[in-house]
Amino acid sequence: QKEVEQDPGPLSVPEGAIVSLNCTYSNSAFQYFMWYRQYSRKGPELLMYTYSSGNKEDGRFTAQVDKSSKYISLFIRDSQPSDSATYLCAMKTGFQKLVFGTGTRLLVSP
Amino acid sequence: NAGVTQTPKFRVLKTGQSMTLLCAQDMNHEYMYWYRQDPGMGLRLIHYSVGEGTTAKGEVPDGYNVSRLKKQNFLLGLESAAPSQTSVYFCASSPRAWGTIQETQYFGPGTRLLVL
């Protein structure tokens, strides 16, 4: 079983929809949770970073962490075609290396 | 700032050939990483470095060697390429601040490698 599980998709939504992307994990020691966005044929770029449980909002993006359920989510409001990309979750304990999910491919149609 | 750059962008090798992938960063970051990305496997850490002159093994180090002779450069070598090493290789760097937002990893654009 992988430490971090993520549905590969693709997830297809119309422009303006609310998108929910999720990851589950098995290591209860993970404390730092990140979402990276990766456009086709590009390197990943950091989108959101949260520590421990709770929500964090940045513009149209909200990251949510539920440590009791070992579940993290990324919500995208008013999705745009430019949001079409692969979204990677990543997490780590304090001094260990990042563990990445396999990524969910999102397609937002005009 | 160029950020993290990788050379070459694409390469085709025959089985048994050797090559070196070059990563350069101009952000004065202490830490540098090499990952490979394969369909259904996500990003997997090959080797990493926590400073000039240091290297350490990651999750999938076999068949690769690395060197960090200068702080800004991190080289990944394949001594005898195998078809299983066909992948997209990403370099990343991060500042020296574990467990904080400053530890964010910045990725390069990737190198696509095909081993025939």
Side-chain angles (χ1 to χ4, degrees):
Chain A
Q1 183 188 4
K2 294 179 182 176
E3 273 191 293
V4 179
E5 298 277 0
Q6 189 174 7
D7 189 323
L11 176 62
S12 296
V13 301
E15 182 175 356
I18 296 175
V19 175
S20 172
L21 302 165
N22 311 295
C23 287
T24 59
Y25 62 94
S26 57
N27 187 349
S28 58
F30 286 139
Q31 299 179 69
Y32 303 91
F33 303 92
M34 288 147 241
W35 286 95
Y36 281 81
R37 179 175 61 195
Q38 184 176 21
Y39 290 113
S40 180
R41 295 183 175 268
K42 301 288 185 184
E45 56 178 339
L46 184 70
L47 199 57
M48 298 284 286
Y49 179 108
T50 55
Y51 169 69
S52 195
S53 288
N55 292 2
K56 184 175 182 179
E57 189 173 321
D58 184 2
R60 296 186 295 111
F61 299 90
T62 299
Q64 194 172 76
V65 175
D66 182 348
K67 292 190 74 177
S68 62
S69 301
K70 298 193 183 71
Y71 189 88
I72 69 170
S73 301
L74 177 70
F75 298 97
I76 307 175
R77 290 183 298 281
D78 188 26
S79 56
Q80 303 295 310
S82 58
D83 295 327
S84 297
T86 296
Y87 290 80
L88 305 162
C89 63
M91 50 198 78
K92 66 191 295 290
T93 62
F95 294 90
Q96 298 301 313
K97 296 166 284 295
L98 274 177
V99 179
F100 285 87
T102 53
T104 298
R105 188 174 168 216
L106 172 66
L107 302 171
V108 182
S109 55
Chain B
N1 285 355
V4 179
T5 58
Q6 293 182 233
T7 309
K9 288 184 171 54
F10 177 71
R11 184 77 182 268
V12 179
L13 286 180
K14 294 181 179 178
T15 297
Q17 286 184 320
S18 63
M19 78 164 294
T20 299
L21 282 68
L22 172 63
C23 176
Q25 52 97 1
D26 61 2
M27 297 174 282
N28 201 34
H29 286 171
E30 290 288 338
Y31 299 157
M32 296 187 75
Y33 315 80
W34 275 108
Y35 292 89
R36 59 177 290 173
Q37 187 175 39
D38 303 288
M41 302 295 289
L43 282 160
R44 293 183 292 167
L45 184 65
I46 305 172
H47 286 282
Y48 65 100
S49 167
V50 298
E52 182 178 319
T54 74
T55 62
K57 293 180 180 180
E59 183 186 353
V60 288
D62 294 340
Y64 305 96
N65 57 75
V66 288
S67 64
R68 182 121 182 251
L69 298 179
K70 292 183 179 180
K71 185 177 183 178
Q72 63 268 33
N73 295 337
F74 195 28
L75 278 63
L76 178 71
L78 287 73
E79 289 188 348
S80 179
S84 60
Q85 294 178 304
T86 293
S87 187
V88 182
Y89 291 87
F90 288 101
C91 176
S93 70
S94 68
R96 185 181 178 183
W98 285 109
T100 70
I101 186 61
Q102 283 75 28
E103 195 229 326
T104 301
Q105 293 187 23
Y106 296 84
F107 284 81
T111 294
R112 293 180 176 274
L113 177 64
L114 175 62
V115 182
L116 301 175

